[in-house]
Amino acid sequence: MAKEMTKIMVTGSVGQIGSELTMALRKKYGNDNVLATGHKTKPSPELCDSGPFEFINVAQKETIEEVVKKYNIDTIYHLSAILSAVGEKNPKLCWDVNMNGTYNILEVALEHEMARIFIPSSIAAFGPETPLDNTPQETILRPKTMYGVTKVAGELLCDYYVKRFGLDIRGCRYPGIISYETLPGGGTTDYAVAIYFEAVKNKKYTCFVREDTRLPMMYMPDCLKAAIDIMEIDFSQLKHHSDFNVSAMSFSAGELADEIKKFIPEFTCEYEPDFRQDIADSWPNSLDDSAAREEWGWEPSYDLAAMTKDMLEALTKRHAEGKLNY
Ligand code: VAH
C-alpha cells in the first residue's frame, strides 16, 4: 500500500517555481503540512506568514536531515537548482548544488522511508544531436551545458533509486516556465519572462536571443498542475519516473513580441544575442509529451494568447499600483 503524502518539504521555495508551488501545496494540503526551505535568499512575507520556513543547504546532507526529522517529512518536492545560464558561469557550483543536492535528497528519502519524491528535469537534458522538432520521450541525451549534464545525471540517478531501492520518484522535463510572481533565477528562457515586465514598464525590450529562436514553454499554472497531478497517480501506473516530457506551447521570441503588441501596440523589441543563444540553439523547438498524457493524463490549459492576456493584466495592475518590483 503506497504511503500517504502528509508532511511535505519543498526545496528551492524562494525560487521561481518553488515559491508558487509551496503556496499551491499549502492551499491543497494545509499550511502547516508544507515546509518551505531556502538556502540564503530571504523569503517573502507571504511565504513566511503562511507556514513553516527553514534555511538548509541541499549540498550538505545533515541540514536536510535536521528538518526532515524536526517536521517528520514524508514527501519532498526538490526544486532547488542552479539553472543553465548561471551554471555556465559557475559549473562547479552547478554540479555541487544540482548533483550533490539531488544525491543527498535521494539518500535522505531512502533512510527516512519517504512516501514519494518529486525531482524535476528539464528540456536542458537534450542537446544538439537530439531531434529538435517534436522531441521524443526516448531519445539522445547529450546536453552541452553543465546544467543539462546534471539533469541527465539526475534522471539516471532517480531511475537507479527507483529500480535498486524501490523509491517512489516522479518528475517532468519542464520547458521554459513563465510567471509574474517570482523572477526566474538565471536561466536561458528568462527572456520570455523579462519581456512582459519590460513591455509594461518601458514599452520596449532588448532580447538576448534571436527573433527566430523557438523553444517549448509553459505558463506557471500549468507547471504547478503538472507537479501536483503527477504525484497523485498510482505509481504502479507509470512506465517513466522523473523524466516525463511536458509542454504546453512552442513559440519564437518574435512571435512572443507580436502577441504582446496585440495588447501594447507601441511595444518594440530588439534582438542582441549573447552567450545564451548557443544554449537555446541546443534545446528542442518543440516536445512530444504523449507519454505524460497517456500515463498520468497530462493536459495543459494555457496557450500563448491566454498566457499573454493573463500576464499583462496582472503586470499592468501591479504597475498601476506601483508594485511592479522589477
Ligand atoms: C533555464 N528556465 O533556462 C530554465 C529551464 C528549460 C529551461 O530549465 O535554465
Side-chain angles (χ1 to χ4, degrees):
M1 179 66 183
K3 285 175 70 179
E4 284 309 303
M5 290 168 55
T6 58
K7 291 290 183 186
I8 300 168
M9 175 172 88
V10 181
T11 70
S13 289
V14 193
Q16 180 195 16
I17 298 175
S19 57
E20 294 201 57
L21 179 60
T22 299
M23 299 312 291
L25 291 170
R26 285 178 171 169
K27 186 175 175 195
K28 182 174 177 65
Y29 295 103
N31 286 353
D32 292 341
N33 296 322
V34 182
L35 168 65
T37 66
H39 182 208
K40 288 179 183 167
T41 309
K42 189 174 180 304
S44 68
E46 183 190 33
L47 206 61
C48 279
D49 298 345
S50 61
F53 182 91
E54 296 278 0
F55 284 107
I56 66 170
N57 177 353
V58 293
Q60 292 172 6
K61 185 185 170 190
E62 62 279 5
T63 70
I64 305 169
E65 280 200 300
E66 190 180 330
V67 296
V68 161
K69 290 175 191 165
K70 180 177 175 182
Y71 294 88
N72 198 24
I73 299 296
D74 57 42
T75 302
I76 299 177
Y77 275 87
H78 179 45
L79 273 299
S80 63
I82 300 293
L83 299 181
S84 58
V86 171
E88 285 310 287
K89 292 192 182 300
N90 193 336
K92 284 187 178 60
L93 176 69
C94 186
W95 177 267
D96 187 32
V97 171
N98 294 7
M99 283 323 299
N100 292 328
T102 296
Y103 178 74
N104 289 336
I105 289 289
L106 292 171
E107 280 294 294
V108 169
L110 198 54
E111 290 160 17
H112 295 267
E113 297 178 341
M114 295 278 171
R116 61 196 78 170
I117 307 295
F118 178 84
I119 299 187
S121 182
S122 161
I123 60 167
F126 302 117
E129 292 95 345
T130 308
L132 296 181
D133 293 312
N134 209 29
T135 299
Q137 177 67 48
E138 310 286 346
T139 187
I140 302 162
L141 299 173
R142 298 186 67 80
K144 298 296 181 269
T145 63
M146 177 58 92
Y147 174 67
V149 166
T150 69
K151 285 299 161 186
V152 173
E155 289 182 11
L156 297 174
L157 204 54
C158 287
D159 265 353
Y160 181 80
Y161 274 71
V162 168
K163 291 181 173 54
R164 178 73 171 67
F165 303 113
L167 262 188
D168 177 334
I169 309 170
R170 305 137 192 248
C172 311
R173 286 174 184 151
Y174 276 130
I177 302 300
I178 295 166
S179 64
Y180 57 81
E181 290 294 354
T182 308
L183 290 173
T188 299
T189 59
D190 293 8
Y191 66 88
V193 175
I195 193 170
Y196 285 104
F197 283 80
E198 295 280 0
V200 168
K201 188 174 179 182
N202 302 317
K203 307 289 187 279
K204 65 181 184 340
Y205 178 58
T206 300
C207 183
F208 58 73
V209 294
R210 284 191 320 268
E211 183 174 8
D212 65 342
T213 302
R214 176 176 298 276
L215 288 170
M217 299 279 182
M218 185 182 290
Y219 195 28
M220 182 60 81
D222 280 330
C223 170
L224 302 179
K225 180 165 81 165
I228 290 170
D229 287 358
I230 195 174
M231 291 287 264
E232 299 200 315
I233 289 291
D234 176 346
F235 188 66
S236 64
Q237 253 181 251
L238 301 177
K239 301 184 189 78
H240 297 84
H241 304 114
S242 66
D243 60 358
F244 282 97
N245 286 2
V246 287
S247 188
M249 57 188 108
S250 284
F251 50 76
S252 70
E255 287 165 343
L256 175 53
D258 290 344
E259 193 64 33
I260 290 172
K261 283 175 194 162
K262 291 179 186 173
F263 296 86
I264 308 176
E266 67 273 33
F267 173 65
T268 60
C269 189
E270 293 177 0
Y271 303 89
E272 292 179 10
D274 67 13
F275 74 98
R276 290 166 285 194
Q277 184 66 54
D278 288 345
I279 299 173
D281 287 345
S282 71
W283 291 352
N285 301 321
S286 58
L287 289 187
D288 170 359
D289 59 6
S290 52
R293 293 168 188 263
E294 287 156 17
E295 295 182 39
W296 50 276
W298 163 243
E299 183 67 45
S301 303
Y302 285 84
D303 62 9
L304 176 57
M307 171 176 70
T308 300
K309 180 176 183 297
D310 202 60
M311 280 287 285
L312 292 179
E313 281 175 356
L315 292 175
T316 301
K317 181 171 180 292
R318 286 202 176 170
H319 192 38
E321 295 166 351
K323 297 175 183 170
L324 197 55
N325 300 332
Y326 178 77

